[in-house]
Amino acid sequence: MRKRLSMCTFFFFMPIAVVLSQSILAGKISDTSKESIPIVNITVHQQPGSSILAYDISDFDGKFTVEVISDLDSLYVEFSHLTYARTGIWIKNKSQQVNITLQEDATILPTLVIKDNAVRRSGDTLEFNTDGLRLREDESIETLLRRIPGIEIKGGEIFYQDLPISRFTIEGLDLLGGSYGVITKDLNSRIINTIQVLERHQYIRALDSIYRPPNAAINLTLKQEIVFSTNFEAGLGAPPFAYNGKVNEFIFHKKQQANFTLASNNISTFNRYLTDNFIFKADDASSPNLKVTPTSVPNAIQRNGYITNDDQLVVGNAIRKLGNFSTLRVNGFFDKTKWLTNQNQTRTYLLPQSKLILEEQLATKLLKREWNLKPNFEYNGSSLYVSNTTELIVNSNSDSAKYIYTPINSTERLEGAKLKVINTQNLILKRGKSAYILNSAISYTNHNANLLVSPISLFQDDFRKKLFESVNQNLEVSQFESHVFTTIYKGIAKAKVNSDVGYKFRHFASNAVTSENNLIDVPLGDNYLVNNLIASHIYYMRTFVAWEWPKMKINFSLPVQYSSFAQTIDETQDKSIFKGVTYQPKLYIYKSLSRKYGFKVSYEYNKNVGSSDNIYQGQILFNNRNVTQGNTTMTKWNNQNTNAKLQYTDDLQSLYLTLELDGNLNQSNLLSNNNIETSGIVNSQVLNNNTNRNLSTSLSGRKYIVKLNSSIGVSARNYTSVTPQIINGVKSDLKLAFRSVEPYIKYQDSKLSFKTAITISQLKNGLNNLNYYQPSLKVGYSFSKKSSIDFDATSSRFSKDDTSYQWLFSSIMMKHMVSKKLNFQAQITNISNENSYVSLTQFSNSDELLRLNLRPRQFVLSLSYKI
Amino acid sequence: MKTILFFFLALSTASAQTGYVCEYKFQYKIDTVNNKFVKIENFYLIGNNGQSAFLPVNRYLQDSLTQENNTYKTKIINGMTVIDIGSMPLYYSSIYVLKNQLKREMLSFKQIGVNKYYSSENIKIKWVLSGDTIYSKKHNRTLNIATTSYGGRNYTAWFAPDIPISDGPYKFSGLPGLIFAVKDDDGYYSFSLEKILTNQNKVVPPSLESASAKMSVQELAKIDQSVDNSESYGVEVFSADGTSIDRLKNQKVGIDKFIERY
């Protein structure tokens, strides 16, 4: 058996032995002075550059031996050394002596530096190297952010894994207080070294080990120690003389950063809306826990339509790192705005029996100045967090308006001034695994307004209308609010106790004096009583307790409020309208059923002075990250009011379906007394039955893409109400809209795109029907990646009989990128003939349609330059 | 004694023009059972005239500071001059290998506390060329592949025949081209070339033979094992996904506090 196996083995390997022969190459390597060269690499190849068949390294005496097993006739032997020229020779494939002399020639080593990996994860931090994300040199930070998996940017806001980011910082410093648009859009990504996504980021160090929110934060690291960035934008136009200009300067350093913006124009754009580093929001500067009720000035002038606008804005933001844990930030701005309107408008009043048309002329002028200064000091230590912000807001308004319409010519003048000071204090103390949070806010607001209207026709108590030559209304509102909000975390977010103690004082005085020097007892505007002095004191305390488990939450809150409200009329009466305690305990339990579904049950009891309500609520929540979100709510009050709401929203399919039933049902009264004297009210509505479907199809080749995106939507609303005043009122509107059809054709770098839309609406209100058509067209053509032109046009008509069916070419905009830094833009707005108009339609509360004539065309050329 | 003389000779004749300096990233798992944590440290391979040294970058920098200034950096606290250990580059790995290609010999050094040891062995790693080449995206270069067995483990090396340096990280050498990466088949140890530093004026560090006690390779390996098992201080530990447990920082803070206190 063994013999047979040996034979087999022999015959099996025999062919190889025959084909592959073994050669031994031996030799010596020396230099030109016959000195032997050690450590020379000797490699044997089939041909130059091919894989290595065999190799050796010469020894101290320059000797080498290579065994080659190959069937080749000839072999290529290569000799290489760091300080000698690489040399190759052809030899016969046989055992032989190979001696060679090498010429001195230093090998130049390649410079090799491995770039950092494009993505690196360290704990909860994902770090993206911008070099790995960038495709072109001139790309903005926003473009790079869009390439990061999980990041979406919707309307300038950054989302990470469907949640908005909690902070956006550069080198850990939040210069713009969350208004990061100017950084992501305008700054070139070349200044950035890495983009860090800090998942579940808890900015406050003292809370880091106690509570980590689900939202992520984004931090950018700089490539250089200090970075300057300047953007210029300037434009000129006519007629009349038009200009716009903006300078935006950024200085970024690891320890201090600053930004300044100067912007001015008279082309009817409000700089604060165009300036992304404008971090202030009107009447929303208070802490999240403090809501100061805004006081609105009577706005007698409708400022819809085309407005000539002068606007000058100065914005300054600066932040400095004072130490490892503390920062000082100062934000401020000054804004001066002048609005002017001078136009004719046609007001169409649709009354049940007839159509009344009034011609109006309107001229308004508003001069508004606003100062704002907001310093903030922050200490963010490992066990102590302190933040103090004081915001000072000063506004002054000067507003005048002139109406000319039949039968009354009227003028108005409003002078107003507003002072607002808000101080907010946040203190967090960590002790072990518990944290104590104290937020306090003190706010003071003083608002004066003086409105002079002349002449004016006012209704009297007996509903007679009387014409006064002039009426002067004085208004003063002052408000003081103090607020302390405490939170206690116990354990690791297992139990949370909030309590909120506050005091609010509001002083409100208003009177109206007619030209006859009489105090009149009629209101001017919804919010303004006449000659009233109202003082309210409110003390409140809210307690909120929450227990949280991984799949369950229990929340209990107990707000208690003591209010005292006094009103004085004609300075002779002191009538206390309300004084008492309100408490509204609320309890809800949320149980997560799965990753997608959860169930929430809540109970609420309202106890006011003299009345009490019970509210039971059940809700099923669907949480499927933007794919399906919906809830059903059923509410029952103990006084037989019912409310049921079914809402289904599917963002992915753009299908919105909401069915809401709201009834204040008193059935026995309704059935027995179905007439005008019925005290019961039936009000059921089906609201916002919207559908919106997106259709998309495309055809593409190597160089071209033809794509059709379309969106078709139907919305309908109707409701029926029975009230003592209206026997049967039915209102409905139906809107059919091809919301957009957006085909485009792309061939290489050029792209032709269309956006068309048509809206057909029918409004029905009692006996009136109104049909409304509005087609619009937008055409864009990009010649290349650098140049594009956009063309906008809209048209509308109101019925078949409407003869004013015309197109409005609202704008043509040409853009050209001259270089990476220089951009050119030309815009022609409102190219129209004298009969063109803009339609403003109010479907919901009024049947009034307002059409305004526009100013003639305007042409503006702009250049922007980035440094 | 002959070896000592040889290394001093090597040091004195070192020439920067014909030498090479490569920087490798050394990554290894600190626990063969729990794969979660790996150590990462950068090493220099400094070679010249057939001799080369492989040692932590920070060890090289620390030695250079000491040699160049002949003193440690100091600072004055409470009127006393103390060594500013916090300003010194720290290194963690005790790997220090000197290779002599001419003598086909390599020395491994180990320092434990104040005690220094070394072992000597011949360069006798036998490589098997696979004949395959692979394009390394990281290094932007085509590399050849070779395999070997050493110390009870199987290793794969990727080398560049167009760079005529038959050297590599740790104890690996003897391939007809610079070794760009070496990895053991179990994935516990890996060396990867990060930089080839040109125009560097670095000399091959000296041998520590004269101040060290000679041991066999096996004895030194045993010491290695015991030290690695107990060594947890001052080591930057990364989890497999890169999470850094910054012990280095803690250690530095501790040292700084210690200095301030005294």
Side-chain angles (χ1 to χ4, degrees):
Chain A
M1 180 66 193
R2 182 174 289 180
K3 191 177 178 183
R4 190 174 294 172
L5 191 65
S6 302
M7 290 288 285
C8 289
T9 309
F10 174 77
F11 284 110
F12 183 77
F13 285 107
M14 191 183 72
I16 300 172
V18 169
V19 174
L20 299 178
S21 60
Q22 182 180 12
S23 311
I24 297 175
L25 309 176
K28 187 178 178 184
I29 306 166
S30 54
D31 62 10
T32 48
S33 58
K34 306 294 180 191
E35 291 288 326
S36 57
I37 310 173
I39 326 171
V40 176
N41 295 331
I42 303 104
T43 52
V44 181
H45 307 259
Q46 183 178 355
Q47 55 187 358
S50 68
S51 60
I52 300 167
L53 299 174
Y55 77 98
D56 194 18
I57 294 164
S58 64
D59 62 13
F60 189 79
D61 299 321
K63 290 180 180 173
F64 67 93
T65 306
V66 187
E67 290 181 24
V68 186
I69 299 172
S70 171
D71 61 336
L72 297 167
D73 295 335
S74 57
L75 300 168
Y76 183 76
V77 185
E78 194 171 69
F79 303 86
S80 61
H81 188 276
L82 201 57
T83 52
Y84 292 90
R86 185 180 289 265
T87 306
I89 56 170
W90 285 98
I91 58 168
K92 290 277 183 193
N93 185 7
K94 61 177 185 180
S95 297
Q96 57 185 297
Q97 191 76 14
V98 180
N99 296 325
I100 191 160
T101 303
L102 299 181
Q103 303 287 328
E104 283 197 21
D105 183 15
T107 303
I108 297 170
L109 289 177
T111 302
L112 177 80
V113 176
I114 305 297
K115 282 185 180 178
D116 289 343
N117 291 334
V119 189
R120 214 177 77 179
R121 173 177 277 281
S122 175
D124 287 337
T125 302
L126 273 170
E127 190 170 76
F128 295 85
N129 193 309
T130 52
D131 292 337
L133 294 169
R134 192 182 297 109
L135 299 180
R136 291 203 327 265
E137 278 295 300
D138 55 338
E139 288 182 327
S140 68
I141 294 167
E142 183 177 307
T143 309
L144 264 56
L145 284 170
R146 287 182 190 279
R147 294 201 181 110
I148 293 177
I151 286 188
E152 278 183 289
I153 300 176
K154 300 173 192 168
E157 193 178 3
I158 303 172
F159 289 78
Y160 181 69
Q161 293 183 348
D162 300 334
L163 294 174
I165 60 166
S166 57
R167 276 174 74 82
F168 185 94
T169 56
I170 293 182
E171 294 288 355
L173 294 175
D174 184 9
L175 172 66
L176 300 180
S179 300
Y180 43 75
V182 67
I183 294 174
T184 55
K185 285 179 199 160
D186 288 359
L187 290 188
N188 194 304
S189 60
R190 281 175 301 177
I191 67 168
I192 301 302
N193 185 31
T194 58
I195 298 172
Q196 296 172 332
V197 179
L198 316 168
E199 294 175 334
R200 294 183 60 83
H201 180 62
Q202 174 56 268
Y203 166 66
I204 296 168
R205 291 190 180 105
L207 293 177
D208 194 34
S209 60
I210 295 173
Y211 172 68
R212 305 194 76 183
N215 308 66
I218 287 180
N219 181 50
L220 309 180
T221 62
L222 297 172
K223 264 190 181 164
Q224 296 169 355
E225 189 74 12
I226 186 164
V227 172
F228 292 88
S229 173
T230 310
N231 295 347
F232 292 100
E233 195 178 316
L236 289 175
F241 174 71
Y243 71 93
N244 71 309
K246 190 163 89 172
V247 181
N248 198 357
E249 172 72 33
F250 274 99
I251 305 164
F252 292 112
H253 183 268
K254 291 181 178 177
K255 290 188 174 173
Q256 50 204 12
Q257 296 168 9
N259 156 241
F260 306 97
T261 298
L262 303 173
S264 180
N265 76 67
N266 70 344
I267 55 169
S268 307
T269 52
F270 296 101
N271 287 314
R272 63 168 67 188
Y273 300 129
L274 298 178
T275 308
D276 287 321
N277 59 341
F278 187 84
I279 69 167
F280 305 90
K281 298 180 180 78
D283 280 322
D284 194 22
S286 56
S287 78
N289 301 321
L290 177 70
K291 277 288 172 198
V292 179
T293 309
T295 305
S296 58
V297 176
N299 192 5
I301 302 164
Q302 292 291 324
R303 292 190 186 80
N304 295 327
Y306 194 85
I307 299 168
T308 304
N309 170 19
D310 282 11
D311 191 21
Q312 281 86 38
L313 177 70
V314 179
V315 182
N317 304 298
I319 190 166
R320 183 180 167 82
K321 212 171 184 175
L322 301 175
N324 287 337
F325 303 113
S326 53
T327 53
L328 177 66
R329 187 176 77 190
V330 180
N331 305 105
F333 75 90
F334 168 69
D335 191 10
K336 180 185 166 193
T337 311
K338 190 167 72 179
W339 299 342
L340 293 170
T341 63
N342 186 8
Q343 64 227 332
N344 295 319
Q345 63 185 21
T346 305
R347 221 174 253 263
T348 307
Y349 294 94
L350 292 165
L351 300 176
Q353 285 78 27
S354 64
K355 196 184 278 187
L356 174 66
I357 298 175
L358 295 174
E359 290 291 333
E360 289 185 354
Q361 280 186 7
L362 172 66
T364 65
K365 179 184 174 185
L366 170 65
L367 188 64
K368 186 178 178 183
R369 294 184 183 89
E370 189 173 355
W371 290 265
N372 192 308
L373 188 66
K374 191 177 176 183
N376 168 262
F377 169 79
E378 190 177 76
Y379 178 84
N380 193 358
S382 55
S383 57
L384 177 67
Y385 174 82
V386 178
S387 172
N388 188 301
T389 308
T390 303
E391 182 169 13
L392 177 69
I393 304 163
V394 181
N395 283 345
S396 70
N397 292 334
S398 172
D399 196 351
S400 66
K402 186 179 180 184
Y403 281 110
I404 300 172
Y405 61 93
T406 309
I408 298 170
N409 295 338
S410 172
T411 58
E412 286 184 4
R413 188 166 57 80
L414 175 70
E415 299 287 342
K418 184 176 173 184
L419 168 71
K420 188 172 179 181
V421 183
I422 304 167
N423 179 274
T424 54
Q425 186 94 242
N426 300 306
L427 180 71
I428 297 171
L429 182 65
K430 181 189 169 194
R431 296 290 299 272
K433 292 197 170 182
S434 302
Y436 307 90
I437 302 174
L438 181 74
N439 294 338
S440 70
I442 300 171
S443 159
Y444 174 75
T445 309
N446 184 282
H447 191 170
N448 289 299
N450 187 343
L451 176 68
L452 179 68
V453 185
S454 62
I456 188 166
S457 179
L458 299 170
F459 287 98
Q460 301 291 281
D461 284 343
D462 55 0
F463 290 98
R464 284 184 297 111
K465 197 174 184 183
K466 183 176 179 181
L467 181 68
F468 293 96
E469 189 179 330
S470 67
V471 170
N472 188 12
Q473 184 188 29
N474 296 308
L475 169 78
E476 184 180 358
V477 180
S478 58
Q479 182 169 301
F480 175 81
E481 186 164 345
S482 166
H483 173 94
V484 178
F485 188 83
T486 58
T487 305
I488 300 171
Y489 284 101
K490 244 347 193 177
I492 303 175
K494 290 280 173 61
K496 195 161 62 175
V497 181
N498 293 345
S499 67
D500 177 9
V501 179
Y503 167 67
K504 190 172 176 180
F505 168 73
R506 196 166 192 226
H507 175 269
F508 183 98
S510 168
N511 63 63
V513 181
T514 66
S515 53
E516 298 167 1
N517 205 21
N518 291 331
L519 286 169
I520 55 171
D521 193 12
V522 290
L524 283 177
D526 294 336
N527 297 325
Y528 293 83
L529 300 175
V530 178
N531 195 32
N532 288 338
L533 179 64
I534 301 170
S536 60
H537 300 267
I538 301 171
Y539 304 87
Y540 55 90
M541 189 180 83
R542 302 182 187 105
T543 305
F544 173 85
V545 186
W547 295 269
E548 292 181 3
W549 292 271
K551 290 189 172 181
M552 192 166 177
K553 276 183 195 173
I554 297 177
N555 277 266
F556 175 70
S557 63
L558 179 63
V560 179
Q561 179 173 303
Y562 171 80
S563 305
S564 138
F565 185 85
Q567 178 174 322
T568 305
I569 300 173
D570 288 342
E571 299 174 345
T572 57
Q573 299 176 40
D574 187 0
K575 189 167 68 175
S576 178
I577 295 174
F578 178 81
K579 200 178 225 179
V581 178
T582 304
Y583 55 96
Q584 299 169 312
K586 290 178 189 174
L587 173 72
Y588 87 78
I589 300 170
Y590 172 77
K591 176 85 175 75
S592 171
L593 300 174
S594 69
R595 190 176 162 80
K596 289 182 181 178
Y597 305 108
F599 186 73
K600 183 178 168 185
V601 180
S602 64
Y603 167 74
E604 184 175 331
Y605 176 73
N606 290 335
K607 173 68 179 172
N608 291 316
V609 176
S611 70
S612 62
D613 291 327
N614 275 309
I615 299 174
Y616 309 93
Q617 202 170 54
Q619 196 172 33
I620 296 175
L621 301 172
F622 303 93
N623 303 318
N624 191 10
R625 290 184 183 277
N626 266 358
V627 177
T628 307
Q629 290 180 342
N631 67 70
T632 59
T633 307
M634 287 188 68
T635 309
K636 181 168 176 58
W637 287 269
N638 63 347
N639 62 358
Q640 297 183 353
N641 292 355
T642 58
N643 173 282
K645 186 177 174 185
L646 175 65
Q647 183 176 333
Y648 176 76
T649 309
D650 188 342
D651 285 348
L652 192 68
Q653 299 296 323
S654 294
L655 174 66
Y656 303 96
L657 176 65
T658 304
L659 172 67
E660 191 171 331
L661 297 171
D662 187 4
N664 187 353
L665 191 62
N666 195 335
Q667 205 170 21
S668 59
N669 283 341
L670 174 70
L671 293 174
S672 58
N673 303 304
N674 189 10
N675 55 48
I676 196 168
E677 293 166 355
T678 299
S679 59
I681 296 171
V682 176
N683 183 9
S684 64
Q685 299 181 47
V686 178
L687 291 174
N688 301 328
N689 186 4
N690 291 325
T691 59
N692 200 354
R693 281 279 173 191
N694 287 330
L695 303 170
S696 177
T697 181
S698 66
L699 179 70
S700 61
R702 281 179 63 190
K703 292 183 177 178
Y704 66 89
I705 301 172
V706 179
K707 192 163 185 177
L708 176 70
N709 294 320
S710 62
S711 159
I712 300 170
V714 178
S715 67
R717 183 182 73 162
N718 65 71
Y719 60 91
T720 307
S721 63
V722 177
T723 66
Q725 286 77 35
I726 302 170
I727 296 172
N728 185 15
V730 178
K731 283 191 174 183
S732 69
D733 57 61
L734 175 69
K735 190 187 273 186
L736 289 167
F738 292 96
R739 296 190 190 282
S740 64
V741 180
E742 300 176 40
Y744 71 80
I745 301 167
K746 191 174 175 187
Y747 181 75
Q748 292 180 335
D749 286 342
S750 60
K751 181 179 172 183
L752 178 64
S753 61
F754 301 90
K755 185 174 182 179
T756 60
I758 183 166
T759 303
I760 304 166
S761 305
Q762 187 185 60
L763 290 173
K764 190 176 180 184
N765 182 9
L767 301 173
N768 289 292
N769 288 328
L770 175 67
N771 295 317
Y772 175 72
Y773 308 91
Q774 186 173 47
S776 65
L777 175 68
K778 186 173 180 177
V779 181
Y781 181 65
S782 303
F783 302 98
S784 63
K785 286 177 180 172
K786 290 184 174 179
S787 305
S788 66
I789 182 168
D790 286 299
F791 175 83
D792 268 310
T794 316
S795 177
S796 53
R797 66 175 179 176
F798 302 103
S799 67
K800 288 177 184 173
D801 303 327
D802 190 346
T803 55
S804 59
Y805 182 85
Q806 289 181 46
W807 283 94
L808 167 68
F809 303 104
S810 57
S811 73
I812 292 180
M813 183 183 284
M814 288 168 281
K815 287 181 182 174
H816 179 66
M817 192 171 80
V818 181
S819 69
K820 289 172 185 173
K821 293 180 175 177
L822 184 63
N823 284 284
F824 169 78
Q825 178 179 307
Q827 186 174 9
I828 305 169
T829 50
N830 303 325
I831 302 173
S832 62
N833 58 41
E834 293 300 319
N835 294 321
S836 63
Y837 55 83
V838 164
S839 299
L840 301 171
T841 311
Q842 296 174 328
F843 290 109
S844 57
N845 300 319
S846 166
D847 296 326
E848 176 185 280
L849 297 173
L850 177 66
R851 280 181 273 169
L852 302 176
N853 284 328
L854 294 165
R855 281 197 335 161
R857 64 187 66 88
Q858 188 174 59
F859 179 69
V860 178
L861 285 175
S862 296
L863 286 172
S864 67
Y865 188 70
K866 290 181 183 178
I867 297 176
Chain B
M1 191 61 199
K2 192 178 169 187
T3 318
I4 297 171
L5 282 175
F6 169 76
F7 276 108
F8 274 109
L9 187 69
L11 177 65
S12 60
T13 56
S15 163
Q17 281 75 26
T18 57
Y20 50 89
V21 180
C22 304
E23 188 174 326
Y24 287 87
K25 184 162 81 177
F26 175 40
Q27 185 169 316
Y28 68 107
K29 292 179 179 168
I30 59 175
D31 185 343
T32 52
V33 178
N34 182 358
N35 290 338
K36 200 173 177 184
F37 297 113
V38 294
K39 283 183 188 175
I40 296 173
E41 189 165 13
N42 280 20
F43 278 72
Y44 274 150
L45 174 68
I46 304 171
N48 203 322
N49 290 341
Q51 295 92 48
S52 66
F54 186 75
L55 75 169
V57 169
N58 280 358
R59 178 169 188 166
Y60 177 84
L61 296 175
Q62 195 182 93
D63 291 349
S64 302
L65 279 173
T66 314
Q67 286 166 14
E68 284 168 18
N69 304 332
N70 205 24
T71 179
Y72 291 99
K73 281 192 178 178
T74 58
K75 61 182 179 183
I76 297 170
I77 297 169
N78 295 333
M80 292 176 65
T81 304
V82 296
I83 298 167
D84 185 4
I85 300 172
S87 69
M88 307 264 320
L90 298 174
Y91 62 92
Y92 312 108
S93 173
S94 56
I95 291 175
Y96 191 129
V97 177
L98 289 175
K99 286 190 282 256
N100 182 351
Q101 303 273 13
L102 304 173
K103 302 285 287 182
R104 302 280 167 117
E105 184 183 43
M106 61 185 164
L107 305 177
S108 302
F109 295 93
K110 184 70 132 182
Q111 182 169 355
I112 300 159
V114 293
N115 300 319
K116 295 171 183 171
Y117 309 94
Y118 81 97
S119 68
S120 171
E121 57 187 308
N122 292 328
I123 298 174
K124 54 183 179 184
I125 294 176
K126 288 189 176 174
W127 294 98
V128 178
L129 300 182
S130 76
D132 296 331
T133 59
I134 189 168
Y135 175 74
S136 165
K137 197 174 175 184
K138 177 179 175 182
H139 299 98
N140 190 25
R141 168 181 300 274
T142 302
L143 299 173
N144 286 31
I145 302 171
T147 56
T148 191
S149 292
Y150 179 78
R153 291 186 180 277
N154 295 323
Y155 291 90
T156 304
W158 291 263
F159 67 99
D162 57 326
I163 300 178
I165 299 171
S166 58
D167 204 351
Y170 191 46
K171 296 179 179 179
F172 300 106
S173 65
L175 280 166
L178 181 66
I179 297 174
F180 271 54
V182 180
K183 204 162 106 176
D184 79 307
D185 288 356
D186 298 326
Y188 290 116
Y189 302 96
S190 76
F191 299 88
S192 176
L193 183 65
E194 296 291 302
K195 294 175 189 169
I196 295 176
L197 302 163
T198 53
N199 302 320
Q200 294 286 316
N201 188 23
K202 288 183 170 49
V203 295
V204 180
S207 166
L208 304 172
E209 270 182 287
S210 58
S212 307
K214 188 168 182 178
M215 308 181 89
S216 70
V217 176
Q218 290 75 16
E219 285 170 332
L220 199 65
K222 277 184 185 173
I223 291 177
D224 262 351
Q225 191 75 32
S226 61
V227 170
D228 278 346
N229 287 342
S230 62
E231 181 184 63
S232 61
Y233 58 88
V235 176
E236 192 173 8
V237 178
F238 291 83
S239 72
D241 62 359
T243 311
S244 174
I245 301 167
D246 203 347
R247 296 188 189 180
L248 162 62
K249 207 170 183 178
N250 294 340
Q251 191 198 24
K252 277 191 73 175
V253 170
I255 292 169
D256 287 345
K257 281 184 179 170
F258 184 82
I259 291 168
E260 278 174 16
R261 199 170 160 189
Y262 296 98

